[in-house]
Amino acid sequence: QLQLQESGPGLVKPSETLSLTCTVSGGSISSSSYYWGWIRQPPGKGLEWIGSIYYSGSTYYNPSLKSRVTISVDTSKNQFSLKLSSVTAADTAVYYCATERAARFDYWGQGTLVTVSS
Amino acid sequence: QSALTQPASVSGSPGQSITISCTGTSSDVGSYNLVSWYQQHPGKAPKLMIYEGSKRPSGVSNRFSGSKSGNTASLTISGLQAEDEADYYCCSYAGSSTRVFGGGTKLTVL
């Protein structure tokens, strides 16, 4: 069974770039069966899809975040990554990575809280 | 791309059935049979409960069922149990390779 684990700084300063990595175990990120996605959840609020990537590198982003988001994949490390630039307090959230098939998110990481504060 | 609309809260007594609605538009819920539902307990990651509108992943109780009519998808939980108390989110493919979540519904088991 696939397992996903997010990692990265828990505190980011305003205007800087948030960087997170999701490490996949129990399967290959090069599998043609899955897309790999990022979802976030501000404290006390709902879920927001950030974007998804296929192992080939094809990416799909939430239009509201597209100008600030980059998702990449490193097949040699079985990892995929999220970069969100020019962050503000509104980007404070729990960030989840997840597997995706046909717009459904099957397996989720435990999530990591990223706080944007000086 | 606007969030799908869900009621903020629903409640029911043990053994009863409840239904949570998820209203979108003809550009998302109405156009694709790609609605999924997630259960989230406090402090935990969401768990997939329904996909492609009405299919249950292996291991999910058959007390959970999904349906769709027009631009509105629904999640029904029958035989409510205390452990069903959680937040529930819908998600739909929204065209142009995008996905959109609902605002979430808090289910209280009385």
Side-chain angles (χ1 to χ4, degrees), chain B residues 40-64:
Chain B
Q40 186 180 35
H41 288 110
K44 300 295 186 181
K47 175 186 176 183
L48 177 67
M49 305 301 285
I50 295 288
Y51 67 98
E52 293 177 11
S54 60
K55 298 179 181 178
R56 276 188 310 275
S58 174
V60 172
S61 170
N62 60 8
R63 297 186 298 107
F64 292 82

Side-chain angles (χ1 to χ4, degrees), chain A residues 9-32:
Chain A
L11 181 64
V12 181
K13 290 182 168 55
S15 79
E16 295 190 344
T17 296
L18 177 161
S19 296
L20 295 174
T21 296
C22 182
T23 300
V24 178
S25 59
S28 172
I29 202 166
S30 298
S31 168
S32 60

Side-chain angles (χ1 to χ4, degrees), chain B residues 53-97:
Chain B
S54 60
K55 298 179 181 178
R56 276 188 310 275
S58 174
V60 172
S61 170
N62 60 8
R63 297 186 298 107
F64 292 82
S65 61
S67 62
K68 190 185 87 166
S69 178
N71 296 337
T72 299
S74 299
L75 172 71
T76 298
I77 309 174
S78 59
L80 266 182
Q81 299 179 0
E83 62 259 35
D84 298 333
E85 185 163 294
D87 294 327
Y88 290 84
Y89 294 90
C90 60
C91 179
S92 176
Y93 182 71
S96 302
S97 300

Side-chain angles (χ1 to χ4, degrees), chain A:
Chain A
Q1 179 171 326
L2 285 169
Q3 291 186 311
L4 293 84
Q5 178 69 57
E6 306 88 352
S7 60
L11 181 64
V12 181
K13 290 182 168 55
S15 79
E16 295 190 344
T17 296
L18 177 161
S19 296
L20 295 174
T21 296
C22 182
T23 300
V24 178
S25 59
S28 172
I29 202 166
S30 298
S31 168
S32 60
S33 299
Y34 293 104
Y35 284 75
W36 308 92
W38 287 99
I39 300 103
R40 70 179 183 179
Q41 185 172 36
K45 297 187 178 181
L47 301 170
E48 180 181 34
W49 174 70
I50 299 171
S52 299
I53 189 167
Y54 197 48
Y55 78 96
S56 62
S58 298
T59 52
Y60 309 94
Y61 298 136
N62 185 324
S64 67
L65 298 170
K66 186 174 183 178
S67 64
R68 299 193 292 131
V69 173
T70 302
I71 297 176
S72 59
V73 63
D74 187 336
T75 55
S76 67
K77 295 182 179 179
N78 229 32
Q79 296 175 334
F80 63 106
S81 299
L82 168 70
K83 291 188 185 299
L84 181 66
S85 64
S86 305
V87 297
T88 69
D91 295 309
T92 293
V94 174
Y95 286 76
Y96 295 100
C97 59
T99 62
E100 181 188 346
R101 288 184 289 176
R104 72 179 185 265
F105 300 94
D106 304 87
Y107 299 100
W108 295 65
Q110 64 184 27
T112 187
L113 174 63
V114 179
T115 301
V116 178
S117 175
S118 55

